[in-house]
Amino acid sequence: MSYQMIGFLGLGLIGGSIAKTIRKKHPPIEIIANDPNAASLAMAHKEGIIRNRQALPLSAFGQCDLIFLCAPVGVNISYLRQLKDLIQADSIITDVSSVKGRIRKAVTEEGLSANFIGGHPMAGAELIGYEHAKDNLLENAYYLITHTDDIRSDRVREFSSFIKSLGAKIMLMDPREHDHATAAISHLPHIISASLVNFVQASDDDKNTLKAIASGGFRDITRISSSSPLMWEHICLANRDEILVLFEAYRRQLDQFRERIAAGDGEQIRRLFADAKEYRDSLPIRGKGALPDIYEFYCDLIDEIGGIASVASILSAGRISIRNIGIVHNREFSDGVLKLEFYDEDAMEQAMRLLVAHHYTIHRR
């Protein structure tokens, strides 16, 4: 690779994860970064990920062969205006935003079309900040790349090859096609999740009954509501048109459920759920997407004193960290069941093998 020096403007979850992956995969590359959170820079420097311990003047990024813009969309656009007179003629600027139309327009206005390649790693987590960045976040994840004919094709190929070397799977897309797709599988689901959480909160009583029982499935389908509110403000404003189009289409989908339930039409209600189940079950098991991956399984509890402790001891002996553990209270399973969540796929797979070897029954959903 010809990239000798790479800069990051924004070192949160995504920027930090890409930087860590570059350090892991390409140790000789020099990396610098700026971030509003001084603690993130200090931590990344201490870990040997970036060269600078404190924020640098923006002029320092003019030396970079490749610059990742990893801030909210509006902030990234402001960086474009500042960088256009600083970068070298052959430097590449890329972003990691989940909205491309607005930044593409700004790139054109600033005369940077020959230097800009849009990027969007389809990987993330419900937690934010550099402290949660991982050097394997891109592994097996789709990385959407958008560009126009104003940039040389060999530069796009070089960038794509570099991203592929980080473990990601490349998909080239038109910017508008990208914004429609991400609105459907990422932006609208985050809005639905947040609105559901707000609805339950508003519907709760003074005893917080709903909050007390809001575990299991409710926590699973709303976990993405723990994402950055500021980031989602920027996304909703930047991709407003596509989101509103899909919002109306989703409203019609909800109306179908409402009409079938109101009519007492059991067969059609079942058909709507069956169609959803068929499509959901057809989704790839492996590979990452726009929403955070969940590494979890269910384990039947052996009927004995200290059953939970036994499971924890087995995993501890195998040096496997458990991210979350809970008892399933519903009757989907006939016996007592533990829900175990892990930080990554390797830990989950190893945990399953260990527990099966100790004669535990494992369930995946």
Side-chain angles (χ1 to χ4, degrees):
M1 300 297 170
S2 62
Y3 304 132
Q4 304 299 315
M5 184 174 180
I6 296 177
F8 285 84
L9 291 171
L11 202 65
L13 174 72
I14 299 299
S17 293
I18 297 175
K20 286 186 174 185
T21 306
I22 292 172
R23 176 60 63 235
K24 178 181 178 181
K25 302 280 188 176
H26 304 284
I29 292 179
E30 185 175 2
I31 304 174
I32 60 173
N34 273 0
D35 191 88
N37 188 341
S40 294
L41 296 179
M43 187 184 305
H45 177 266
K46 183 177 180 180
E47 293 174 350
I49 305 300
I50 63 175
R51 182 186 73 186
N52 56 300
R53 188 180 186 283
Q54 298 176 325
L56 297 170
L58 202 61
S59 58
F61 291 81
Q63 306 170 41
C64 294
D65 305 303
L66 175 62
I67 300 173
F68 283 88
L69 303 181
C70 303
V73 179
V75 179
N76 285 341
I77 289 174
S78 71
Y79 280 135
L80 288 174
R81 300 189 185 105
Q82 300 173 70
L83 288 169
K84 67 177 182 177
D85 295 325
L86 298 175
I87 62 171
Q88 306 169 63
D90 58 351
S91 294
I92 293 294
I93 300 176
T94 187
D95 73 326
V96 298
S97 305
S98 68
V99 182
K100 291 290 171 264
R102 187 177 167 194
I103 196 164
R104 170 53 59 187
K105 181 174 182 291
V107 164
T108 302
E109 291 173 349
E110 300 299 334
L112 287 167
S113 296
N115 300 89
F116 185 84
I117 301 173
H120 179 198
M122 303 289 281
E126 68 276 12
L127 300 175
I128 60 176
Y130 177 82
E131 62 270 28
H132 300 294
K134 301 185 294 183
D135 64 12
N136 64 349
L137 192 69
L138 297 183
E139 196 69 39
N140 242 358
Y142 278 106
Y143 202 110
L144 308 184
I145 293 177
T146 67
H147 67 92
T148 66
D149 294 336
D150 296 323
I151 188 167
R152 297 199 320 261
S153 58
D154 62 307
R155 306 187 79 188
V156 177
R157 286 195 299 271
E158 180 182 34
F159 177 76
S160 299
S161 178
F162 178 69
I163 295 299
K164 188 175 181 180
S165 76
L166 303 181
K169 297 184 290 186
I170 304 302
M171 183 180 290
L172 298 177
M173 300 183 76
D174 172 80
R176 183 163 186 179
E177 178 188 12
H178 168 277
D179 287 357
H180 179 79
T182 54
I185 51 86
S186 176
H187 304 166
L188 187 62
H190 275 84
I191 293 169
I192 294 169
S193 174
S195 64
L196 180 58
V197 173
N198 290 342
F199 170 75
V200 169
Q201 181 184 27
S203 303
D204 212 349
D205 56 28
D206 55 4
K207 299 178 182 177
N208 288 325
T209 301
L210 298 185
K211 185 176 183 179
I213 64 174
S215 58
F218 181 83
R219 291 180 61 87
D220 289 344
I221 65 175
T222 60
R223 72 166 57 220
I224 55 178
S225 293
S226 294
S227 299
S228 166
L230 175 62
M231 178 182 72
W232 282 101
E233 174 193 343
H234 280 258
I235 288 173
C236 287
L237 294 178
N239 206 23
R240 179 177 59 183
D241 292 344
E242 292 292 346
I243 289 173
L244 290 178
V245 168
L246 289 169
F247 205 102
E248 290 306 311
Y250 179 68
R251 190 194 300 273
R252 292 192 292 273
Q253 184 69 232
L254 277 180
D255 284 343
Q256 284 192 51
F257 274 93
R258 181 182 57 79
E259 290 165 4
R260 300 296 184 268
I261 293 171
D265 190 341
E267 182 178 348
Q268 288 302 315
I269 292 171
R270 185 171 64 254
R271 171 47 49 195
L272 289 172
F273 279 104
D275 288 345
K277 173 176 169 52
E278 181 179 358
Y279 186 76
R280 172 63 175 80
D281 290 348
S282 73
L283 297 179
I285 295 176
R286 295 185 180 275
K288 299 179 181 179
L291 304 183
D293 290 306
I294 302 172
Y295 305 106
E296 66 181 20
F297 61 80
Y298 298 81
C299 173
D300 285 355
L301 277 177
I302 296 175
D303 186 15
E304 62 181 10
I305 296 175
I308 297 176
S310 296
V311 171
S313 295
I314 291 169
L315 299 183
S316 176
R319 303 185 66 81
I320 300 173
S321 296
I322 302 172
R323 180 175 184 175
N324 202 359
I325 185 169
I327 301 174
V328 177
H329 295 289
N330 62 41
R331 291 293 82 196
E332 179 177 351
F333 304 102
S334 58
D335 300 314
V337 169
L338 278 183
K339 179 180 177 182
L340 296 160
E341 183 181 354
F342 302 87
Y343 288 95
D344 54 52
E345 185 177 24
D346 288 342
M348 179 186 71
E349 297 287 350
Q350 186 181 354
M352 287 193 294
R353 288 194 297 270
L354 272 176
L355 291 174
V356 168
H358 284 78
H359 309 294
Y360 285 89
T361 301
I362 303 300
H363 308 272
R364 296 290 305 277
R365 284 199 299 179

